[in-house]
Amino acid sequence: MTALEANFDGLVGPTHNYAGLSFGNVASQNNAAAVSNPKAAALQGLQKAKALADLGLVQGMLPPQLRPDLASLRRVGFAGTDAKVLHEAASHAPQLLNSFSSASCMWTANAATVSPSSDSANGKVHFTPANLVDKLHRSIEPGQTARILQAIFKDPAHFQHHMHLPEHPYFGDEGAANHTRLCHQYGQQGVELFVYGRKASQANSPAPKHFPARQTLEASEAIARLHQLDDRYVHYIQQNPDVIDQGVFHNDVIAVGNQNVLFYHQQAFLNSASELALLQQKMQGDLHLVEVSTEDVSIDAAVRSYLFNTQLVTLGDGSMALIAPSDCQENPQVYQYLQSLPERGSPIKQVKYFDVKQSMQNGGGPACLRLRVALTPAELAAVNPQALLTDDLYQQLTQWIHKHYRDRLCATDLADVTLYQESCAALDELTQIMRLGSIYAFQR
């Protein structure tokens, strides 16, 4: 069966700001309280998505969620008019206001885990939104994420949507940031690689000591069951606890895969040699393991540059390209390695650099901004067409961003009811552009 891989990028929301909410994410914490530029952030992400579409890849867009999330603020006891709710939250619980104003849903690698129809027993594309229980500001996302995915992938003949896992650390789930599908062709049976940080059911098993392990083995196993995956084509591997403690909060900060290529750091996994040997067997001996040594690139350099938070994509001629942040060019150690990468004998033949600094300063690179969905032609035809990036949609979204987004935002602005009203107006117009229906109604 023929199929392709589509990337669905998250549009950066109007409240993009730096509140340092993500303990364990070095960039997020280092840039706390900096002044952000939501307009530049949204344009940078959109331009990166358009560049991939211009390369001939199928590119989709996912809308932002409504922020500040007044429904969540009211749920925890703030009452009255919109202006009063924001004022009271800012006065008495500013951390809550920061959390419920976060534009973190822009990182759609955390939106869900997706399994294609060729891997599932019932021949449908499966979606499970991530519960994101480890971080308060992200834990409010799953319900809205589900509505967005259901509005874009609507046809039950092709798509099956699951509720997010129970909201407890036992089932801590961070979505596709800890999931990689390896295959020979997108439409063939693949091997789904789940990377976890800890075993919730085994208190004495290896785990990081300083930063949290956000993904549990038990969550990954539950998703594999929900998606009706064949155990023979599923592999679980534990992330190295030591690299989590060095700021590698998700697997996509230390490894990225595409088709039969896995690009990863030498220190990425626990019991790396034996586990990757098993993965190689499941890939019938045809897996290109592109390992980056600590001597070539240190963990610190990898985290600061987001060398592995890159998109690895297959181009029309069958070769692969790495879509990297411009920060990789600015790190001498990383840039030197990437300059030599096309000559190292792997299918990765070129590197393309993009400025996504507004996202990078909050701890998310090119790979964070996209959710990968492998689709057959019939499944692609069933996707909401207004979610697929065309020249026309790109122009509409560019104009929409210029019309509705501020070019400067600081923490005190979050309490301004005008910002909330601007966000509501922006998303109301976006639902018309993308024909998304009433997906924001429950948040009002």
Side-chain angles (χ1 to χ4, degrees), residues 44-306:
Q44 286 172 2
L46 181 60
Q47 288 160 2
K48 189 269 292 184
K50 181 61 164 62
L52 266 67
D54 289 344
L55 287 172
L57 303 175
V58 175
Q59 178 68 57
M61 305 303 300
L62 299 180
Q65 299 188 16
L66 178 58
R67 298 289 184 269
D69 185 353
L70 268 63
S72 288
L73 287 171
R74 289 192 165 94
R75 185 180 175 188
V76 296
F78 296 103
T81 63
D82 295 344
K84 184 179 180 184
V85 167
L86 292 168
H87 174 75
E88 292 297 311
S91 299
H92 302 292
Q95 189 71 7
L96 284 181
L97 178 59
N98 287 344
S99 293
F100 295 160
S101 300
S102 173
S104 55
C105 62
M106 62 197 269
W107 297 307
T108 57
N110 302 120
T113 303
V114 184
S115 295
S117 54
S118 55
D119 291 0
S120 64
N122 68 350
K124 294 183 180 182
V125 183
H126 288 250
F127 299 82
T128 299
N131 59 25
L132 299 168
V133 293
D134 188 71
K135 295 289 177 282
L136 174 61
H137 67 289
R138 304 221 62 178
S139 69
I140 62 175
E141 295 176 18
Q144 180 65 87
T145 297
R147 288 172 174 83
I148 289 170
L149 292 174
Q150 289 164 13
I152 291 173
F153 304 96
K154 292 188 287 189
D155 190 342
H158 295 291
F159 308 120
Q160 184 165 346
H161 295 270
H162 304 278
M163 186 176 180
H164 59 275
L165 297 179
E167 297 160 359
H168 187 277
Y170 188 95
F171 287 111
D173 176 28
E174 300 278 318
N178 294 310
H179 171 261
T180 301
R181 180 177 184 258
L182 301 167
C183 61
H184 297 105
Q185 298 295 330
Y186 293 121
Q188 297 175 348
Q189 171 73 60
V191 176
E192 301 206 16
L193 175 63
F194 292 87
V195 181
Y196 63 94
R198 67 185 180 93
K199 297 177 181 177
S201 59
Q202 298 180 26
N204 295 323
S205 62
K209 295 179 175 60
H210 181 54
F211 290 143
R214 304 185 189 184
Q215 185 82 26
T216 67
L217 171 62
E218 292 77 7
S220 298
E221 291 173 331
I223 291 170
R225 288 191 295 269
L226 287 169
H227 291 195
Q228 303 180 27
L229 303 182
D230 187 327
D231 289 342
R232 295 174 298 171
Y233 300 102
V234 176
H235 193 68
Y236 305 98
I237 187 169
Q238 184 166 1
Q239 192 173 355
N240 183 350
D242 291 339
V243 300
I244 294 177
D245 280 336
Q246 294 177 67
V248 181
F249 55 98
H250 289 142
N251 178 61
D252 68 1
V253 180
I254 203 68
V256 61
N258 173 52
Q259 291 188 312
N260 65 340
V261 175
L262 184 63
F263 179 56
Y264 65 101
H265 194 276
Q266 178 183 10
Q267 298 184 50
F269 308 116
L270 203 61
N271 304 319
S272 185
S274 59
E275 291 294 338
L276 292 176
L278 290 172
L279 182 62
Q280 181 71 267
Q281 290 178 18
K282 292 182 178 181
M283 283 292 292
Q284 302 171 339
D286 186 25
L287 175 62
H288 293 274
L289 294 169
V290 184
E291 181 182 272
V292 180
S293 70
T294 304
E295 182 180 358
D296 283 333
V297 178
S298 68
I299 294 293
D300 180 69
V303 171
R304 291 183 182 278
S305 67
Y306 270 24

Side-chain angles (χ1 to χ4, degrees), residues 1 36 75 127 145 208 210 276 387 389 403-404 419:
M1 182 183 297
S36 66
R75 185 180 175 188
F127 299 82
T145 297
H210 181 54
L276 292 176
L389 192 61
K403 176 180 177 181
H404 291 286
L419 176 65

